[in-house]
Amino acid sequence: MSDYIKFNEAVYTQSAPSIRECPPEGGLEVAFAGRSNAGKSSAINTLTGITGLARTSKTPGRTQLINFFSISEKQHLVDLPGYGYAKVPKSMKEAWQRNLTEYLQKRESLVGLVLMMDIRRPMQDFDTMMLNSAIDLEMPVHILLTKADKLKKGPANSTLIKLKQHLEESQVDDLVTVQLFSSLKKTGLGELKTRLGRWLTLPKEEIETDADEMQPNEIEPNESDTPKTDEI
Ligand SMILES: Nc1nc2c(ncn2[C@@H]2O[C@H](COP(=O)(O)OP(=O)(O)OP(=O)(O)O)[C@@H](O)[C@H]2O)c(=O)[nH]1
Ligand SMILES: [Mg+2]
């Protein structure tokens, strides 16, 4: 299914300083959220295979705007500003948190949230708040334990298993999934694509509508003179 999503055709479209300035609703949208420096922008670059599509930085708090990318007219990725950056004044942190919650609540195109946490510091206060906001809204969440390359396989897997158990015990495992991820090593890239493939798959009618809109100068399959093999 994920083959259908052309992640590598993603293009940057625009940045919005707040929910009010976001592009009009339309199609399906997946947002990437997480603490500042968790690896959100890097993950978007790894997912699309386009270096520099989303800006990454060694300086935390770099992505202050809501950045929009389009895979197709009806499939979008959104890089949300990182939360929890220590040097940002408390009032600004709280404003951003309200903004993010408002985005989750109001954005109708949003079909899922990729919540990214550094594997060495998962489930910090703001992460739990974001997760609970999404759960309250019945918004599907896919957690990426990022920078998995920073831990050895054993400790990485045990962090994954512990979090999975926690989600099962909290009875949210139908809505919230989790995986290991590393942009550096491309660990878990296939798993992420499969999940996003499910979220970003358009209802069948819409795919057919797209086909109907084929431009007159596009080449159509040649059905006339050569008989198909199974017709001989
Ligand atoms: N080792 C390792 N480092 C990573 C990985 N992903 C990101 N980084 C590094 O972590 C830092 C932050 O990455 P970003 O992708 O900019 O993080 P962000 O979450 O977008 O940060 P903000 O926009 O500031 O919220 C950069 O120095 C990246 O090179 C990874 O998989 N492994
Ligand atoms: Mg960023």
Side-chain angles (χ1 to χ4, degrees), residues 17-20 66 94-104:
S18 79
I19 175 97
R20 274 160 221 88
I66 307 174
E94 287 169 354
W96 262 117
Q97 201 195 325
R98 277 197 302 277
N99 229 331
L100 288 174
T101 315
E102 197 186 356
Y103 174 79
L104 285 189

Side-chain angles (χ1 to χ4, degrees), residues 33-46 54-64 67 79-83 85 116 118 120 145-150 181-187:
R35 289 178 70 82
S36 181
N37 209 41
K40 298 174 293 296
S41 304
S42 301
I44 290 180
N45 293 339
T46 303
R55 283 217 205 150
T56 62
S57 172
K58 289 209 188 318
T59 323
R62 178 71 199 244
T63 316
Q64 297 287 349
N67 294 318
D79 190 6
L80 293 172
Y83 47 79
Y85 177 45
M116 321 201 34
D118 189 317
R120 296 162 297 176
L145 294 170
T146 60
K147 309 191 188 180
D149 56 279
K150 292 278 192 185
F181 191 77
S182 163
S183 283
L184 194 70
K185 300 267 163 109
K186 306 217 178 347
T187 316

Side-chain angles (χ1 to χ4, degrees), residues 3-57:
D3 291 346
Y4 166 68
I5 315 285
K6 296 185 175 126
F7 293 105
N8 61 347
E9 292 191 0
V11 288
Y12 165 80
T13 53
Q14 72 183 82
S15 300
S18 79
I19 175 97
R20 274 160 221 88
E21 283 120 309
C22 283
E25 298 271 1
L28 306 172
E29 198 165 286
V30 170
F32 289 69
R35 289 178 70 82
S36 181
N37 209 41
K40 298 174 293 296
S41 304
S42 301
I44 290 180
N45 293 339
T46 303
L47 174 69
T48 57
I50 308 172
T51 316
L53 180 67
R55 283 217 205 150
T56 62
S57 172

